[in-house]
Structures are given as structure tokens and as C-alpha cells.
Amino acid sequence: MTRSSTPAAAGQPWTAGAGTMPSGPAGQTMPFDDGRGPQGDRPTVTIGSYPDYPSAQRMVDHLADNRFPVEHTAIVGTNLTLVETVLGRMTTGRSALVGAGTGAWFGLFIGLLFGIFTTGAWAAVILVGMVVGAIWGAVFGAIAHAMTGGRRDFTSASSLRAGQYAVTVDAQFADQAQDLLGRMHLTPSRGTGR
């Protein structure tokens, strides 16, 4: 079931008169988002809901392959969940090792800069830069971990996951998109609409 969605006149944080975010890269003021997807002057229609992102992406890719104006589509993730995956225990030694690696890369960069202007043993300059960077990185890494006081003794990676992905198109292109999907037997699930 598809449902047209248009910005409501009152009671929404993104309507005129409400607060707005600072201007974006093009200098245009961006409206606040109420969590229902991209907002704008144009009404949108949900043409399909999918359980995972690759399925929604395949559908938009199929539309693009059939010369549909995909600049009028959006993939909207709903029911977002923040997942923090714990990768391992962080000790002072491990923190020093990570710091040494980061410092060595920075030292390599500085060594290369100084090596450009060296007439003789430029390889020695690069090597010294890496070693000094690794030493200082290890020291700062160990100090930084010690300063946390054991409040976060693990490393992790965070990711956002959506429970469902809706593909929306501008209302004026909805019939064309649904016709393309119907002809190619890619009719989406009709569970949820916006």
C-alpha cells in the first residue's frame, strides 16, 4: 500500500516558522528532519519497503537501468538502532602500541617532508622520523589510556542499522516507477507505506 506524504502545515519541527539548521554546502537553509525521511516542497510516495539495504539499492538500480529519473528517489531507513560491537579489551600496552603505529605514520609523513630537502641520506631522515613518531605516539597513547582511569577498557565500532528500508519517489513520478517495477516483476512488499 502506498501513501502520499506531504509536509503538514503545523506542529512539525521542519515547517516554516520553526527552527532550521545552518545552511548546507549550496548555501540553502536545511530544514530540521522529523525522522520521516527527506523533506522538501515536493510530496513523496513510498513505492516499496524492504528488509535490507541491498534489496532497496537493487530496486533503485533497476529504475536507473531503465532510464527512470532516480534523482527523484530516496532510500529511507526506519526503526534505526545503534549497534556498538565490542572488538576487544584495551590495556595500557595495547593503547601504547596503537599510538606507536599512528605516530609512525605521522613520523613517516614528516620524514618525507624533510627528506625532500635533504641532499644526502634521505632514507635515514625518513627512518628517524618514523622512529621518533612511534616513540612519541606510544607515550601519548599510554598516557591517554591511563587518564581514562579504567572507565573504558575496551575498543568498539559503532554502526547504525535500520529495521526496514523504504524507497520513496516524488509523487509526480510514482506511477512511472510503479509501472516499471510491475513490468519487470519487482513489485515490492506492501507491508508498510509512508
Side-chain angles (χ1 to χ4, degrees):
M1 172 198 267
T2 59
R3 188 175 76 191
S4 179
S5 61
T6 58
Q12 301 295 331
W14 43 264
T15 56
T20 55
M21 294 177 67
S23 60
Q28 299 173 345
T29 303
M30 303 300 292
F32 280 125
D33 187 5
D34 69 345
R36 296 189 312 165
Q39 303 300 327
D41 307 19
R42 303 176 308 238
T44 60
V45 174
T46 298
I47 59 171
S49 295
Y50 299 89
D52 56 14
Y53 181 78
S55 298
Q57 182 180 351
R58 269 194 304 276
M59 197 261 265
V60 174
D61 187 50
H62 174 76
L63 291 174
D65 291 345
N66 286 285
R67 296 185 178 19
F68 181 82
V70 290
E71 62 273 10
H72 297 282
T73 63
I75 298 175
V76 182
T78 57
N79 301 328
L80 295 179
T81 304
L82 174 66
V83 178
E84 183 173 6
T85 306
V86 177
L87 301 174
R89 189 171 193 277
M90 180 60 80
T91 62
T92 303
R94 187 170 179 185
S95 184
L97 188 62
V98 170
T102 304
W105 278 109
F106 184 70
L108 174 65
F109 173 70
I110 297 299
L112 286 171
L113 284 178
F114 281 121
I116 292 173
F117 302 107
T118 303
T119 57
W122 60 269
V125 172
I126 293 172
L127 184 63
V128 167
M130 286 179 61
V131 170
V132 170
I135 291 170
W136 280 107
V139 168
F140 285 122
I143 290 172
H145 182 265
M147 289 178 65
T148 64
R151 285 188 304 274
R152 187 171 171 93
D153 284 341
F154 62 91
T155 59
S156 64
S158 296
S159 63
L160 275 178
R161 296 183 188 165
Q164 191 170 20
Y165 296 87
V167 177
T168 65
V169 297
D170 290 351
Q172 63 185 4
F173 296 100
D175 291 336
Q176 180 185 354
Q178 289 171 337
D179 183 49
L180 275 173
L181 296 177
R183 274 191 282 140
M184 303 309 279
H185 306 292
L186 285 176
T187 306
S189 65
R190 304 231 176 222
T192 15
R194 277 189 359 152

